[in-house]
Amino acid sequence: MSMPQRFDHSRLEIIDRAECLRLLRSAPLGRLVYTIGGLPAVRLVNFVLDEDTIVFSSGQGDKFRAAERGDVVAFEADEVDLERHNGWTVTAVGHLSVVTHDEAAGLRRVLPLHSWLPMDDPRLVRVGVESVHGRRLVPWGKRPRAGA
């Protein structure tokens, strides 16, 4: 039995946690939102979802230092059909952390992890998904009417 659709005040469909995670699994790219010196930064990364953990490769730069600190970050992935004006967006929030060398070796054996960028000594980092929220812009005929 399927759940009834729920919509927010903007008439975007609210996506439940299980569907948010399924959609994240389907996306090849996402945006990591973190801070550098107290200012927001956004970086595009290719990633893999391991159950409810987002995993990606990082060099020794700002993302890696944020993972070493255990910073709270946001991660967003989406898909949009520009012709039909529909699509979805999912935002996850959690702590960033460095994957140990031993665990990284195991993950690389079972997950399709590969960076799209050439890196010297890439390390794996993860976002432990603590909350996830998604919205879907559905076709006009499936949206609730104003005031409904």
Side-chain angles (χ1 to χ4, degrees):
M1 183 170 130
S2 64
M3 298 289 292
Q5 288 180 300
R6 294 183 316 135
F7 292 86
D8 68 10
H9 67 282
S10 299
R11 291 182 273 173
L12 296 172
E13 180 187 4
I14 299 168
I15 305 171
D16 67 27
R17 180 180 177 85
E19 178 69 357
C20 284
L21 294 175
R22 188 192 72 73
L23 290 169
L24 280 176
R25 271 187 208 87
S26 74
L29 292 172
R31 290 166 208 83
L32 179 70
V33 183
Y34 63 109
T35 57
I36 301 174
L39 297 174
V42 180
R43 297 292 182 268
L44 194 62
V45 298
N46 64 297
F47 70 100
V48 173
L49 193 71
D50 180 28
E51 295 185 23
D52 61 354
T53 301
I54 296 162
V55 183
F56 58 92
S57 292
S58 175
Q60 299 294 317
D62 294 322
K63 293 187 305 273
F64 186 76
R65 285 190 290 279
E68 288 181 311
R69 291 189 303 264
D71 288 2
V72 173
V73 298
F75 190 89
E76 181 191 61
D78 52 50
E79 182 177 285
V80 176
D81 183 326
L82 297 176
E83 290 183 19
R84 292 187 176 96
H85 298 173
N86 58 34
W88 57 265
T89 183
V90 171
T91 303
V93 174
H95 285 81
L96 199 59
S97 63
V98 177
V99 177
T100 66
H101 287 290
D102 289 344
E103 188 180 358
L107 287 174
R108 284 190 168 101
R109 282 193 296 273
V110 297
L111 296 177
L113 287 161
H114 58 278
S115 176
W116 291 6
L117 296 173
M119 287 186 223
D120 295 325
D121 190 30
R123 295 289 305 273
L124 293 185
V125 297
R126 68 165 45 113
V127 179
V129 176
E130 297 166 23
S131 68
V132 64
H133 305 280
R135 298 289 185 267
R136 181 180 283 123
L137 182 61
V138 297
W140 282 102
K142 294 184 178 181
R143 296 178 197 170
R145 292 198 170 115

